[in-house]
Structures are given as C-alpha cells and as structure tokens.
Amino acid sequence: MKKNLITKAILLSLGLAATGGVLAQETLERVEVTGSSIKRIANEGALPVQTLSRADIERSGARNVEDLIQALPAMQGFQTSSASVNGDGPGGVQNASLHNIGASYTLVLLNGRRLAAYNAGSAVNLSSIPLAAIERVEVLTDGASALYGSDAVAGVVNFILKKNQTHLVLDASVSVPQKHGGRSSSINLSKGFGDYPVDGYNLMLAFAHERQNELNASDRDFARSGVVPFTHEGKAYTLYESARNTAPSSVTLGLKNPLTGPGGSAVSAVTFSPDYLKNGKCGPNTVLATVSLDQACQFDYAATVQLLPSTKRDSLFASGTVKLNESTSAFFEAVASKFELKERHAPVAQAISLSLSDPLYAANVQPHLAKLGIDPANVSKATTNNRFSDAGGRSDLFKTDARHLAVGVEGVWRDFDYSASYVHSTSRADTYYDGGYLRQSCYQGLLDSGKFNPFAPVGGNASAFAPCILKERNDSTRTALDTVSARMSGELFRLPAGPAMLGAGGDLSRQKYDYDPSALAMGPNALHSGTDTAFGRGTGALPIEASRRNWGLFAELALPLTKTLETTAALRYDDYTAVQNNIVLNELGKLAAPAKQGNANSKATYKLAFKFQPLETLLMRGSYGTGFKVPEMDLITRAISGGTNTSGSYACPVKAPDPRAVNCEGTTQYDLLSGGNPLSGANGLKPEESRNMTLGLKFEPLKGLSAGLDYWAVKMKHQIVSLPETLVFGNPTAYDSLIRTVYDPARGSDKLAVLLPSYNLGSSRYSGVDWELAYAHKLEGLGRLALSWSGTYMLKSEIDDGAGNVENSVGRFDAYNTVTFRVIQRASATLSHGMFSHTATWNWRSGYHDKEQSAADGKVRVVNADGSLGAYATVIRDVESYGTLDWQTRMQLLKSTALTVGIRNVLDQAPPFSLRTAGGGNQIGFDARYANPLGRTFYVNASYKY
C-alpha cells in the first residue's frame, strides 16, 4: 500500500520522511508513541508530538541534552547552568519546561518510564542523561495526566535510548569560542553485541565523557562590570548595580530616632564607608552609592562572577534484550551518570554586628558621625558590611550521581502487546564549599586576636584567611523512585471503519526524599552540638526525611467511527498516601515522633481526542482533558527555615516606631524564610488541577510541502504558589505578618527576614500556538534541499496568586523575575549532495519589556555631559530581540567515517542589554537565562563506525 500525501506530510514534519516515494505500510513496526498507551504506526496519533531523530540531534550541534532540549521553541521557563552562579534555583541543575508552565509540570521520561527527580517532586535534572545514548526524543506538547498520572500537566519529554546496535562507534568533538573561555569537548564510545533478529539477543555498552570550561565575566565586554553605560531615548545613563558588602567594610548604623531624608522621608538606618570619608575615594572593584543619606562604597560583584560554570560529566549506559520464545523477550537498561558543576562568584559577603564599645567602632566609625549629621547618642547598633576579598571568590561544587535501572518482559499474547517492568531510579546531589567561604569561629579568632581589621585596605590578609577557608560538604539531597508497572494494548473488536484498539495498565510506586544539611548549613540548633557557621552562605537549613506511595490504573480506547474520523478516550485513577515524615520538629526546634503529614490524595483524570482526515492532504485533530499535580513532599514536611535572600535589593519594609525597624539595613537584599504546610483536611495542601485543550491541523497543499498548526491552552486552579518577594516589599502593609525578626548566629545579632509561604490559592492560564512548516525538493545538479520553520507564539502566561494580584509575563519582565517570550522560532535549510550536507539554522527570540528601574531603586544613574554621574533615574525600556545564525557542514568521508565542522553564532551576536538585577544568576548587563554569552564558536566532530 502506498502511503498517501497526508501520511508523508506528517512524517516529513516530524523529520521521519523516507527519501523514496513508496513505503510498504505493513513493514512498519507498531510502536508506542509518547502520549498514548496503544501501539500503532507512529504517524497515526491525534496528539501534537514533536520528534527529534538521531539525524536531527547531530544536525543541531548540541553539546549535551540540556542544549538540545532548551533550544526547542516550545521550551520556556527552564533553568540553565548560569543560574547556578549564586542564582535563585537549585545549584547544578538544568531542566525542561514546556510553554513556560514550569519544570515541575513537565514530565521527563526515559524509554517511557519515570526517572528519580532532583527534588521532592518529579522534575528531572537533564544533566544526568547522556546525549550519546539517545536515539530520538519525543516531545508531547499537551497534558497527559490521563496516561502518566501526576505532573504531566504541560506535557512530556520522552528520551528513547538506542537499541540493537551491533557495531563499534567512536565519536569525539571539541568546541572552541573565538574569544577566550568556555571551551568544551566530549568523547563517546559504544559497542553492540548480537543482532536480535538473527541471534535472539542484543547487548549494548556505552561510555561518554563531557567537559565544559568556565567562562568568566572578565572575558566578555558586555558583562565585565555591573556599571554598564547605555543610552535610552537619546539620553546617556549607566546601570549602577553593586552590593552593600564591600572591602574595606562599610558600616550600617541603626538609629533610635529617624533622620529626615530626601523628600522628607524618615531614615532609620544609614550606611557609609569610613574608607571613603577618610580618603575621598573608593577602593578596587567598588563604586560609590549615594541612596538617601548613604555615602557608601559598594562592591562591583558582577566583575567577579562566571557567565558559565565549569562542568564535567561521565556516563555509562548498558541495555540488553534476549528472546525467551517467539512471542516474549526480556530486557534491561541501566544508566549511571556522574555530573559535576563548579561555580564561582563574588567573595564572601557577610554582615557582622559591631559593638558600640568595640575599639574598631571608636577608631573607624565614631570620627565620622559628625560629618554625617548623626548624634552618637542616637545610634542604637552598628553592623559591618564585609567583603572578604582576600579569601578569594566563593566557589560551590555540585556533584550529582544518578542511577537508573529498568528490567522487564514484553511480548505478544493473543494479539495483545504487553509489557511488565520494574524501575529503580536514584539521584544524589551533594554540595561542597570549595573555596572562598570562611568558618565563623576561625574568623572570630582572627578578629579577637587583632589579625584582621575589616576596615583595612584590600590585600595582605590571604595568609591569615587560609586556615579559615572551607573545603567540606554543605548539604546532600537524595531521592529514590521504585516503580512496578504493567500495560497491554491490542484490538478489542472491529467496527466497519476498522479495529477498536484498547490500551490499559497500572503502576505502583514508592518515592523517597531526604535532605541532609551539614552542621554548618544548619547553624546552632537542637539537632546537633555544633556552634559554628559558614560566612558567605545562609544558615538555618533543616533536615527532611520523607516518603510516600501511590498507585494508578488507566485505560485508553481508540474508535474509528468512520474511515476519516477516529476518536480516543482515556481515563486514569491515581491514589497517593499522606507523606511519612521521619524528621518532625516541634516549635522549639527539637525532634518529635515521626508522623504522617499532609493529605492523602486521590484523583481521576480523563482525555478525549479526535483525528479527522476529510482529504488525503488535510488532517484535523483536537483534544480536551484534565490533569493534576500532587504537592511536592517538602512543601508539606519542611520546617520553617532560612538560608536564602531576596534576588533584588529593597528598601526596609518596616519603619520606626515599629520595633522591628531597629533591624533595618536600608536598601539591600533581605533574608527569606520558607516552610511547608504539614496540616491535613481543609487546611492542608491539595492537588493542583488543570484543564488542557488542543486544536490543530496538518496540511500538504503541494508535494513536498507540509504545514502544521496547533492551538493549545492550559488552565490551572488550586495552584500551590510561593508569594513573590516583589509583592511583599512592594506592599509591606498588606503582608505585615510575613515580616519577622530572627536571630542570625553568623552575624551574632537579630535580623529582618521575610516568610514566603506556599498555599493552594493560586491559579494560572497559559495559551499559544505552535507551528511547523517543512519543504523538501530535489534540485537538479545541486542535491536535495530541505527547509523547515517551527516556532511558538505565546498568547497568555499569567498567574493569579489568590490575593488579587494577577501577573502577566508575556513579553515583559514580571514580578517573579522571569520573562515569557511572545515568539520563539527556528528556521533551517539543509542542502545534501553526495558526501556533503550543509545546514544553516536561524534561532530567534522576540524582544520584551525590560525590568523597570525607578530612581528609588538606586540602580540607574544619569551620565552628565562632562561624563560625570548625576542623580539616580527612572528608566522604562524594552530589550531588543535576539537572533543567532548557526552553520554546519557534515562530510561522510567513508562509509564508516564522518566529519562535521560548524560555527555557532556565525555573526558573533552579543546578548541584548538588560537592566535585570534579579532572577537567574549573578550576571549583570544581560540575562544569561535567555542568551548564550559564548559568542562565535567553532566546533568539529569526528565519528567512526566499525
């Protein structure tokens, strides 16, 4: 039977079209496609599945799985490696997020089976998946809870591993930017044994090693400083981003009675630099900041950070299949991956209480009070804002050890395909202090002995700091997932239009999550006898040991109502136990008896879909379904703790005579508190719920030309949201109960901290259009030309926090410090002729409304005509669109040997300038989450098969 035009259109749009004009359909293997439990020919499904073949992967020039997935137009809202540079996400993690809905709502599978998460939910660290072992990737851009259960709200990314390889493959590559820094390399080796159809077995072994060198801010002009000149509407300005903690130290004075500041404002804290008032200038790597009554030198931290951290990955992969009889086979797959990421950012920044009777106060602070107009008797407390530059930049080493084992049987029984499997998947992530951080007790000894003076000029303290620098574990996170599953599919009965197909199955799982902070990460508490802390990293972390079980059953029925119309209905029921918490802390912070916490949850979900093909050249499809996501275990079991701070800098949220105002520190970063909700019943957390719909078409108006368009929409309710920091500091009166005074053992005094709770009051709405266009044509004498264009147009991406605040992030930098791009698109052209294949790819993101900076924020200053700096200014601007051109040439030198050379970012396009000062990592001048800082990069890949 010849495949018809629409079949060719679909195959071509998915990158699967054969070069010949005919195909014997009965020779096609019936496979289970992502998004359906029914085995069928890959092009028969009604859901929007994007497929990347091995050839697509090689043409992409991707260095690893993260590069490959995060470059897809449908991907937004993921975490990149740059965010590990003192960013606001978990370190050492890169993940996937469909349509900006979030990594925790995007299910990642390996051969259709779940992997252990890096956190207490289901989000997977892509760094643990070896690219060399991947045969293809299927991306379902529609919710799939009715098949996979919790978490598949936004869609599914399914990595399909290689199988039945018999030859030896050696693959090596190197990537070198034109400018200094960021070099990467990889080597992959795989060997297969046994041809399954002939020998009845196949065993494949593979090893991969990848390395990425660091890229520093000093290596790129657009990021080498937090002081960045720019023009807007014909006027000259400079971004003036810096940090309060500096060297030599500045001092923040708390005042008993507030002073009168600019515009008649009440000022309850003043920060100044004794070194500046004494010498009239700031020290190295610092800039002067004069917000309100402050006269302080601040640290240019952006000059000291990495744009990209260094990484190293070693992966082992093994898979095997053996024929048990003519209809049954046994299989296994095993993956072991070790991933290391080492980041470095600014030297230790630590505020430390300074006694008013300390000789350092008398010598370095008191002489300047009159010049500042401060009555010595009005000073209530003093805090030094220290930057320990002589200890070097802070360095964190993140080590991830992931293991995944799946064993099972599959076969055919009475014309029904079936499979049964057991999966044991684990992930361990360890974080280490790897330089720059100081042990508090050691530092205190230096201070008490007079060996360190925070007000002394930079230099000369390296030998004194050396024994204080930490090189030990900070914390560990361990997760484990054990799953037993079984499924079957086959013809249930026949209708006039064709067979009715049934798929059904079930699974039983146990999930574990352990968080083990070191004594330094916890700080003094009732759980251990230690009293030390680490300068440069927050304290207050508390351990978690949680687990829960769940089971689910599902069924899917595909009915061909007519020769041109097929409908599919799927139903699933899931049941989750309450969380078993083995580390319960009472109000005094002491251990209590282990307990079940949170709610037991059960949920039924469904999906209805159709495929309508009125013409050979036209296919229409659509779906409507429900989804859900259970609360992550730490959102239930985590005790209230600190350890992090705000991404941005804010004015103090309280004012005198409020007694909390004595701990104000002016405009700076404040500490954050977080904790879980262990309650059950109506006051406990419940599952988030979603409704998904898609409506699309595939069309082939001409031979070789195919087009696809899919509208999608997701609505979520009962969403568990953490209150954005911008809302609390933007309206502190409304959130007054969240502003707390807590004791900080590192600084030896109380401090202000803000609790950002999680609750079920949120809702969100997302919608957009995905498109793809493909054209293939043989050019006489030149070869075969293949063109493709794909992209996503976002219509809506908004979150309602349940308190009347609706945040729409499409085309703008939002209150959550993120951006949803209106358009992301990719176009490519490939010309193949003989041994050569040439590919050009254009990647493009639309511009967006930048983070708004007001004069009160103290981030942007006017540049006067003579080049001097003027007042702080309010600037409202847009970030430009960003596009890069890539080129690749592949040469099949021999049947067994191929050589690929390419250039990423041929035009050496720099990232667009942004006023972002919060969100992501510590990079300034651009947003490293949305633009690659490497610049023009050359790469070469050699592959040999034997």
Side-chain angles (χ1 to χ4, degrees):
M1 179 187 300
K2 292 186 177 181
K3 64 178 180 179
N4 57 33
L5 293 176
I6 188 63
T7 299
K8 289 191 291 183
I10 295 173
L11 289 174
L12 181 61
S13 67
L14 296 178
L16 300 172
T19 56
V22 295
L23 181 66
Q25 206 165 27
E26 39 281 343
T27 66
L28 288 177
E29 180 186 2
R30 302 184 76 84
V31 296
E32 186 176 303
V33 180
T34 303
S36 176
S37 63
I38 299 173
K39 283 196 171 184
R40 60 177 105 201
I41 306 304
N43 63 295
E44 291 182 356
L47 300 178
V49 178
Q50 301 175 9
T51 300
L52 295 173
S53 66
R54 186 65 207 178
D56 294 327
I57 295 172
E58 292 171 352
R59 280 195 296 268
S60 72
R63 298 165 298 171
N64 46 51
V65 165
E66 308 93 271
D67 282 354
L68 177 70
I69 297 303
Q70 294 179 350
L72 296 176
M75 291 289 167
Q76 290 202 60
F78 48 77
Q79 179 168 315
T80 63
S81 63
S82 63
S84 293
V85 184
N86 199 32
D88 51 5
V93 168
Q94 291 114 89
N95 51 35
S97 169
L98 280 163
H99 294 147
N100 202 48
I101 299 175
S104 60
Y105 303 98
T106 302
L107 184 62
V108 175
L109 305 175
L110 191 66
N111 271 3
R113 289 177 276 269
R114 287 183 181 247
L115 295 141
Y118 62 79
N119 58 8
S122 64
V124 170
N125 189 354
L126 297 180
S127 302
S128 63
I129 301 175
L131 181 63
I134 304 302
E135 178 62 27
R136 70 180 188 277
V137 184
E138 296 177 350
V139 181
L140 172 65
T141 56
D142 186 18
S145 287
L147 179 60
Y148 299 107
S150 175
D151 313 313
V153 172
V156 181
V157 180
N158 189 10
F159 293 94
I160 311 299
L161 298 173
K162 295 178 178 178
K163 64 179 183 178
N164 203 38
Q165 177 178 316
T166 58
H167 40 259
L168 171 71
V169 178
L170 176 62
D171 185 274
S173 66
V174 63
S175 178
V176 182
Q178 179 174 304
K179 301 183 181 71
H180 181 265
R183 179 189 177 108
S184 63
S185 60
S186 68
I187 184 167
N188 309 300
L189 178 67
S190 62
K191 179 67 175 78
F193 305 89
D195 186 353
Y196 181 79
V198 177
D199 303 316
Y201 75 93
N202 176 257
L203 173 67
M204 192 184 84
L205 304 174
F207 168 76
H209 172 77
E210 303 168 24
R211 183 181 293 273
Q212 166 80 58
N213 294 346
E214 67 181 48
L215 177 67
N216 296 310
S218 58
D219 295 328
R220 297 295 182 268
D221 291 338
F222 55 79
R224 64 175 63 251
S225 173
V227 179
V228 187
F230 68 98
T231 59
H232 176 61
E233 296 180 344
K235 298 180 181 178
Y237 300 92
T238 185
L239 176 62
Y240 213 68
E241 171 64 359
S242 54
R244 165 168 298 185
N245 293 288
T246 188
S249 175
S250 63
V251 179
T252 298
L253 301 177
L255 305 176
K256 298 175 183 177
N257 300 305
L259 301 178
T260 301
S265 61
V267 178
S268 57
V270 173
T271 299
F272 73 98
S273 291
D275 182 66
Y276 171 73
L277 294 184
K278 178 181 178 181
N279 300 315
K281 62 180 182 179
C282 290
N285 277 339
T286 62
V287 294
L288 181 64
T290 54
V291 179
S292 187
L293 300 181
D294 294 349
Q295 296 187 52
C297 300
Q298 296 197 347
F299 193 71
D300 187 7
Y301 68 87
T304 66
V305 306
Q306 293 172 325
L307 303 185
L308 292 175
S310 63
T311 63
K312 182 176 68 173
R313 177 177 11 231
D314 290 293
S315 305
L316 287 171
F317 166 68
S319 68
T321 306
V322 60
K323 183 184 292 186
L324 301 181
N325 56 48
E326 289 303 315
S327 61
T328 308
S329 62
F331 66 87
F332 85 92
E333 61 195 36
V335 179
S337 175
K338 289 184 178 293
F339 177 74
E340 292 186 5
L341 183 151
K342 185 174 181 179
E343 71 86 15
R344 189 192 65 256
H345 55 284
V348 164
Q350 183 66 56
I352 301 174
S353 179
L354 178 66
S355 171
L356 302 185
S357 60
D358 193 304
L360 287 173
Y361 180 86
N364 297 278
V365 178
Q366 201 158 357
H368 303 293
L369 296 182
K371 187 174 183 179
L372 296 169
I374 297 175
D375 182 350
N378 193 32
V379 178
S380 60
K381 68 171 187 175
T383 302
T384 58
N385 307 304
N386 302 277
R387 181 73 61 173
F388 300 109
S389 297
D390 291 337
R394 280 170 289 180
S395 181
D396 293 286
L397 177 61
F398 302 99
K399 293 185 176 182
T400 301
D401 189 348
R403 309 288 174 90
H404 178 81
L405 174 66
V407 296
V409 294
E410 59 186 3
V412 179
W413 179 74
R414 293 188 177 181
D415 294 329
F416 275 82
D417 298 292
Y418 71 87
S419 67
S421 64
Y422 166 71
V423 172
H424 176 67
S425 188
T426 63
S427 176
R428 174 174 179 137
D430 297 306
T431 304
Y432 293 86
Y433 304 105
D434 199 51
Y437 294 97
L438 300 175
R439 189 180 299 275
Q440 188 218 15
S441 59
C442 183
Y443 162 79
Q444 193 62 48
L446 295 176
L447 195 62
D448 293 343
S449 63
K451 295 181 179 179
F452 172 68
N453 178 359
F455 300 106
V458 175
N461 285 313
S463 59
F465 281 149
C468 301
I469 295 175
L470 289 167
K471 286 269 192 174
E472 58 186 83
R473 186 182 69 91
N474 174 52
D475 61 19
S476 299
T477 301
R478 296 182 296 273
T479 66
L481 178 67
D482 290 275
T483 301
V484 176
S485 63
R487 57 182 57 200
M488 52 76 68
S489 70
E491 182 179 327
L492 187 62
F493 55 86
R494 294 195 69 85
L495 293 172
M501 304 294 290
L502 173 69
D507 47 68
L508 175 66
S509 299
R510 181 173 188 259
Q511 183 185 11
K512 294 182 64 178
Y513 173 77
D514 296 340
Y515 175 65
D516 179 25
S518 66
L520 288 173
M522 287 190 282
N525 64 23
L527 301 179
H528 64 96
S529 58
T531 59
D532 224 340
T533 59
F535 274 3
R537 184 181 285 275
T539 61
L542 294 170
I544 300 173
E545 187 177 317
S547 64
R548 68 180 167 203
R549 298 175 184 271
N550 68 280
W551 60 268
L553 297 172
F554 68 87
E556 180 183 9
L557 181 63
L559 297 173
L561 300 182
T562 70
K563 292 293 184 181
T564 60
L565 176 63
E566 178 183 285
T567 61
T568 303
L571 179 67
R572 182 180 172 103
Y573 181 83
D574 286 276
D575 185 88
Y576 283 78
T577 66
V579 178
Q580 174 65 34
N581 186 4
N582 291 331
I583 301 180
V584 179
L585 303 178
N586 60 25
E587 293 180 355
L588 299 177
K590 296 183 177 181
L591 280 174
K596 291 276 190 181
Q597 294 185 328
N599 288 313
N601 296 294
S602 60
K603 192 69 180 172
T605 54
Y606 67 88
K607 177 180 280 290
L608 302 174
F610 76 91
K611 181 187 72 172
F612 179 52
Q613 188 176 333
L615 304 171
E616 285 190 345
T617 58
L618 176 64
L619 180 147
M620 292 182 285
R621 64 189 181 193
S623 68
Y624 181 85
T626 59
F628 79 107
K629 182 185 184 312
V630 293
E632 297 179 1
M633 289 189 288
D634 62 336
L635 294 179
I636 296 171
T637 59
R638 187 174 67 243
I640 292 179
S641 60
T644 61
N645 53 259
T646 58
S647 294
S649 297
Y650 303 96
C652 186
V654 293
K655 293 179 170 43
D658 189 313
R660 294 171 295 181
V662 70
N663 295 305
C664 284
E665 298 179 17
T667 299
T668 187
Q669 292 174 296
Y670 284 87
D671 287 85
L672 298 175
L673 302 174
S674 61
N677 179 355
L679 302 177
S680 58
N683 293 322
L685 295 178
K686 55 187 177 181
E688 302 172 285
E689 299 178 11
S690 70
R691 294 184 180 274
N692 302 62
M693 72 159 292
T694 64
L695 187 63
L697 59 84
K698 293 281 186 176
F699 183 47
E700 187 181 85
L702 301 172
K703 183 179 179 180
L705 175 64
S706 67
L709 195 68
D710 286 286
Y711 168 80
W712 56 269
V714 180
K715 292 184 178 181
M716 299 181 64
K717 63 179 181 179
H718 308 314
Q719 197 164 10
I720 300 171
V721 295
S722 179
L723 203 64
E725 62 184 57
T726 51
L727 293 182
V728 178
F729 286 92
N731 191 1
T733 302
Y735 300 101
D736 182 75
S737 62
L738 302 180
I739 304 169
R740 312 283 179 86
T741 298
V742 297
Y743 179 75
D744 185 348
R747 67 169 68 185
S749 65
D750 287 341
K751 66 181 180 182
L752 276 184
V754 171
L755 175 64
L756 299 182
S758 297
Y759 47 89
N760 261 118
L761 297 178
S763 62
S764 58
R765 294 161 290 278
Y766 305 89
S767 64
V769 176
D770 296 332
W771 77 84
E772 55 188 1
L773 184 68
Y775 176 72
H777 184 69
K778 187 175 181 179
L779 301 176
E780 191 67 33
L782 294 177
R784 183 177 182 272
L785 176 66
L787 306 176
S788 68
W789 177 39
S790 62
T792 296
Y793 186 93
M794 293 291 296
L795 296 169
K796 184 177 293 186
S797 178
E798 62 183 27
I799 297 175
D800 186 336
D801 67 2
N805 303 294
V806 178
E807 191 69 19
N808 184 3
S809 62
V810 174
R812 60 183 292 269
F813 195 97
D814 64 18
Y816 295 88
N817 299 320
T818 61
V819 175
T820 300
F821 290 87
R822 175 72 73 180
V823 178
I824 300 180
Q825 57 185 331
R826 171 189 282 182
S828 69
T830 299
L831 180 64
S832 303
H833 181 71
M835 62 182 287
F836 293 97
S837 176
H838 311 280
T839 300
T841 303
W842 178 252
N843 308 284
W844 189 84
R845 291 172 180 261
S846 57
Y848 60 91
H849 190 66
D850 203 358
K851 178 177 175 60
E852 296 184 2
Q853 300 285 3
S854 69
D857 294 327
K859 302 295 183 183
V860 176
R861 298 185 70 170
V862 173
V863 178
N864 298 321
D866 61 359
S868 63
L869 297 180
Y872 288 97
T874 296
V875 173
I876 299 175
R877 64 182 297 275
D878 292 329
V879 175
E880 296 178 351
S881 61
Y882 180 61
T884 59
L885 175 66
D886 302 334
W887 177 268
Q888 180 191 97
T889 294
R890 178 179 174 85
M891 296 165 280
Q892 192 68 44
L893 302 178
L894 299 170
K895 185 176 181 181
S896 61
T897 307
L899 181 67
T900 302
V901 295
I903 306 174
R904 302 186 194 94
N905 196 354
V906 173
L907 303 179
D908 198 24
Q909 184 69 39
F913 172 68
S914 171
L915 295 176
R916 177 196 69 90
T917 54
N922 270 180
Q923 303 85 4
I924 295 299
F926 75 110
D927 200 322
R929 297 170 296 180
Y930 310 129
N932 192 314
L934 286 171
R936 184 182 293 122
T937 302
F938 304 91
Y939 67 92
V940 59
N941 174 273
S943 178
Y944 174 75
K945 292 182 181 181
Y946 176 75

